[in-house]
Amino acid sequence: MRTRVGIVGAGPAGLVLSLLLAERGIDSMIVETRSRAAIEETIRAGVLEQGTVDLLLDHGVGARALAEGAKHDGVELRFGGQGHRIDFAGLTGRSIWLYPQHEVLKDLIAARLKAGAVIRFGASDVSLRDVASDAPVISFVDTGGSPVDLRCDVIAGCDGSAGISRHSIPDAGRVDFFRAYPFGWFGILVEAPRSAPELVYAHSERGFALISTRTPEVQRMYFQCDPEENADDWSDDRIWEELQTRVAGDGFRLTEGRIFQRGVLPMRSYVCEPMRYGRLFLAGDVAHTVPPTGAKGLNLAVADVVLLTDVLERYFTSGSSELFDDYGPTAARRVWRAQHFSWWMTSMLHTAPDASPFDVRRQIGELESVTSSTAGSAYLAEAYTGWPFARLGPRGG
Ligand SMILES: Cc1cc2nc3c(=O)[nH]c(=O)nc-3n(C[C@H](O)[C@H](O)[C@H](O)COP(=O)(O)OP(=O)(O)OC[C@H]3O[C@@H](n4cnc5c(N)ncnc54)[C@H](O)[C@@H]3O)c2cc1C
């Protein structure tokens, strides 16, 4: 089998890349280990930057996000028992959208299959060969048990944080930047109406809490916990008491409901450099992971593939690989800004296990600086709603 761009992984990075390439007339094929049903049922991200929504709309896959998602013009930072709104729209003219990642994926998969794209779901034993040569290969075993060699001009590794593609970059030429945080997020999904019109990020003496939403009927809530915590050890009553205590003050209370999913999420930052090796380009979580506090992961994956599409369009239209070298450093600039923002939000709002009273007072001082200063609020609003996409080639620099 042959294709121009072999894409490993049908997550946001792989599917958006396949969509953008098709619109530029570039043939691609996706190899994915999971089934379509498993992808469409996995609940993950919920916050889409304005640029991500605009891109989905511009490419014909944003109608449902617009109709069923919720536009948020700000967020609330709660500390000292009081809410402080950051007005995204007023400060930046931009907003965010709450629309679940698995719904984005349903929209993308349906659109790609309708357009005749090939997505090989349920592949196993996926491996990459000859990525430094002009003829890289993705090998896999298909659902019928037959081995397949997919010959490509280039490979896009879009296989997420547990993916294999980055391991094709030799250890000697790869740097893995990694940080594990000394806390995790205890997350629940709840059948209940919204407790607040916008997302609530709460700093409290008992640690951080985030009140988010997925749909008008399903709410996502998290609270900071020990990364080794066993979610099954917690009764529903204990979870609600913990959450209510962390957001308490000025009469605010969460609307409780049936908890139908729970789990503990580790908090990590990771960056792989370089993001290109030979004919292998990495995009999305396989190249970088951010703690979810800044809601950046999916949005970064989209920003990577916007850039990668420019690089590949230049290559396939003019035969010039001159932009190959620019991909990694250009993508990494946004990645490191997002790493900083996600780390900053995390460290400002969470209580480290060894935090002293000084550290907690300093955090309150920082939160007051951010919420009482237009410049401070504007930085948060700009970063949260998302910076403009970097472009290369005729559209960019
Ligand atoms: C609880 C939670 C909340 C989050 N909230 C947000 C948020 O609000 N906003 C935000 O922007 N981000 C958020 N994120 C992050 C976001 O979900 C990820 O950054 C995003 O999914 C990355 O997309 P991706 O395509 O790079 O990787 P993935 O979505 O992980 O997709 C990779 C795909 O590759 C497949 N794959 C893996 N290995 C192989 C292989 N060997 N061969 C072939 N296929 C393979 C996988 O099955 C998967 O389908 C959140 C994440 C979590 C867990």
Side-chain angles (χ1 to χ4, degrees), residues 9 12-13 32 34 44-47 101 159 164 284-285 295 297-299:
E32 163 64 51
R34 291 191 296 161
R44 291 181 75 181
V47 178
Q101 172 166 337
D159 42 343
I164 47 127
D285 274 16
L298 181 156
N299 297 293

Side-chain angles (χ1 to χ4, degrees), residues 8-14 31-34 39 44-47 101 126 158-164 214 220 222 265 283-286 292 295-299 301:
V8 190
V31 178
E32 163 64 51
T33 44
R34 291 191 296 161
I39 293 172
R44 291 181 75 181
V47 178
Q101 172 166 337
V126 181
C158 301
D159 42 343
S161 57
I164 47 127
R214 287 297 175 265
R220 188 64 147 150
Y222 301 97
L265 194 70
D285 274 16
V286 70
K296 284 275 160 274
L298 181 156
N299 297 293

Side-chain angles (χ1 to χ4, degrees), residues 1-22 26-36 39 104-105 107-124 126-128 138-143 148-152 154-160 305:
M1 292 176 80
R2 236 207 99 65
T3 187
R4 282 181 150 182
V5 183
I7 301 175
V8 190
L15 287 163
V16 173
L17 178 63
S18 141
L19 173 78
L20 299 181
L21 290 174
I26 302 167
D27 161 62
S28 70
M29 195 182 290
I30 304 181
V31 178
E32 163 64 51
T33 44
R34 291 191 296 161
S35 66
R36 179 178 179 183
I39 293 172
V104 176
L105 294 177
D107 298 343
L108 284 164
I109 291 170
R112 294 307 301 128
L113 292 179
K114 192 171 170 205
V118 180
I119 308 177
R120 302 294 294 261
F121 293 106
S124 53
V126 181
S127 64
L128 310 186
I138 304 174
S139 294
F140 62 97
V141 175
D142 70 15
T143 44
V148 180
D149 271 356
L150 176 59
R151 294 172 197 288
C152 318
V154 301
I155 294 177
C158 301
D159 42 343
V305 299

Side-chain angles (χ1 to χ4, degrees), residues 6 24 45 47 107 163 172 187 189 201 205 220 245 264 286 308 313 316 324 335 342:
R24 312 261 181 107
V47 178
D107 298 343
L189 280 166
Y201 282 77
E205 286 182 2
R220 188 64 147 150
T245 310
V264 172
V286 70
L308 183 52
E313 182 182 34
F316 287 112
F324 281 19
V335 169
S342 305

